[in-house]
Amino acid sequence: QVQLKESGPGLVQPSQTLSLTCTVSGFSLSSYGVIWVHQPPGKGLEWMGGIWGDGSTDYNSALKSRLSISRDTSKSQVFLKMNSLQTEDTAIYFCTRCNNYDYFDYWGQGVMVTVSS
Amino acid sequence: IMLTQSPATLSVTPGESISLSCRASQSISTNLHWYQQKPNESPRVLIKYASQSISGIPSRFSGSGSGTDFTLNINRVEPEDFSVYYCQQSNSWWTFGGGTKLELK
């Protein structure tokens, strides 16, 4: 069955870089896009960026200067790196599979990241 | 493209039938999808392309609309339906609405 699972540090210091990994199973990264979505505590969902089956990437313009998404298809892993973290980047970070470039049909459990010194 | 959901909060009793609204800032055809998020859980997709059902989702959930105005209907709310509902568009990049919280009256 399709599964996605995020992993990474729960605490990051301000101005540092966040590195997260999404490990997928049940589908090929060459066939589906994987998107990162974040959700600040008590707030709504925001699309951050993603990587598609052909390896191309798209980024939310508000985050583009700080964000990088890559993958290792042999390990079925997608990576997120975001630099210059601030306290407002404190959020739950989800990875999700994008179906037909349109909707998000499978989600990881999410990982809570706190930006604090 | 901005999505505006209303109301922000809806208080209902189980058994009521309800409608949630999502309005787009410009026409998005039927590239609109609905999600449910329960506390401390990941979102799950309920409806795709405005009105198409998703396998495994109860039939009491239905969607309608096109262009700029969309509706998620829940026929006879069940206790497990109390959560937050989001709409999401895919016509131009991807954005989510601010959510509607469905709470117990």
Side-chain angles (χ1 to χ4, degrees):
Chain A
Q1 69 276 31
V2 172
Q3 291 184 323
L4 301 93
K5 186 173 183 179
E6 307 87 350
S7 58
L11 180 66
V12 179
Q13 292 195 340
S15 79
Q16 297 302 301
T17 296
L18 172 65
S19 295
L20 297 176
T21 300
C22 175
T23 303
V24 311
S25 59
F27 69 98
S28 170
L29 292 178
S30 298
S31 300
Y32 287 90
V34 171
I35 304 297
W36 289 94
V37 173
H38 65 177
Q39 183 173 37
K43 297 190 177 181
L45 303 163
E46 183 181 47
W47 163 71
M48 301 179 70
I51 188 163
W52 304 107
D54 63 0
S56 62
T57 53
D58 284 309
Y59 299 106
N60 186 320
S61 58
L63 300 171
K64 190 172 184 177
S65 63
R66 300 196 290 140
L67 189 60
S68 175
I69 297 173
S70 60
R71 70 181 184 182
D72 183 335
T73 54
S74 67
K75 294 183 178 179
S76 294
Q77 292 180 323
V78 175
F79 309 105
L80 176 148
K81 289 189 186 298
M82 188 163 72
N83 59 32
S84 304
L85 253 62
Q86 300 302 319
T87 55
E88 51 265 34
D89 294 313
T90 293
I92 301 173
Y93 288 76
F94 297 100
C95 60
T96 175
R97 189 180 83 165
C98 187
N99 194 309
N100 203 36
Y101 294 86
D102 283 325
Y103 64 97
F104 310 123
D105 57 358
Y106 291 91
W107 294 69
Q109 62 191 22
V111 59
M112 179 67 201
V113 175
T114 301
V115 181
S116 175
S117 55
Chain B
I1 296 176
M2 292 185 59
L3 298 176
T4 302
Q5 292 188 241
S6 60
T9 304
L10 184 61
S11 302
V12 303
T13 55
E16 282 189 62
S17 294
I18 64 164
S19 295
L20 308 182
S21 173
C22 177
R23 179 163 292 178
S25 58
Q26 63 189 73
S27 178
I28 57 173
S29 185
T30 56
N31 295 311
L32 190 285
H33 321 285
W34 290 95
Y35 300 81
Q36 176 192 58
Q37 186 179 30
K38 297 181 179 181
N40 301 314
E41 293 187 7
S42 307
R44 70 164 177 167
V45 62
L46 299 175
I47 298 289
K48 61 182 180 179
Y49 302 111
S51 62
Q52 295 183 18
S53 60
I54 297 286
S55 175
I57 300 300
S59 59
R60 64 181 179 274
F61 292 95
S62 64
S64 63
S66 66
T68 60
D69 290 319
F70 302 87
T71 302
L72 175 69
N73 300 295
I74 308 178
N75 184 31
R76 300 192 178 193
V77 171
E78 297 280 344
E80 61 266 29
D81 298 339
F82 292 104
S83 40
V84 180
Y85 293 85
Y86 294 97
C87 56
Q88 172 249 321
Q89 67 82 24
S90 58
N91 195 70
S92 176
W93 304 95
W94 301 266
T95 51
F96 292 90
T100 290
K101 182 180 181 180
L102 184 64
E103 65 176 22
L104 181 62
K105 194 172 187 178

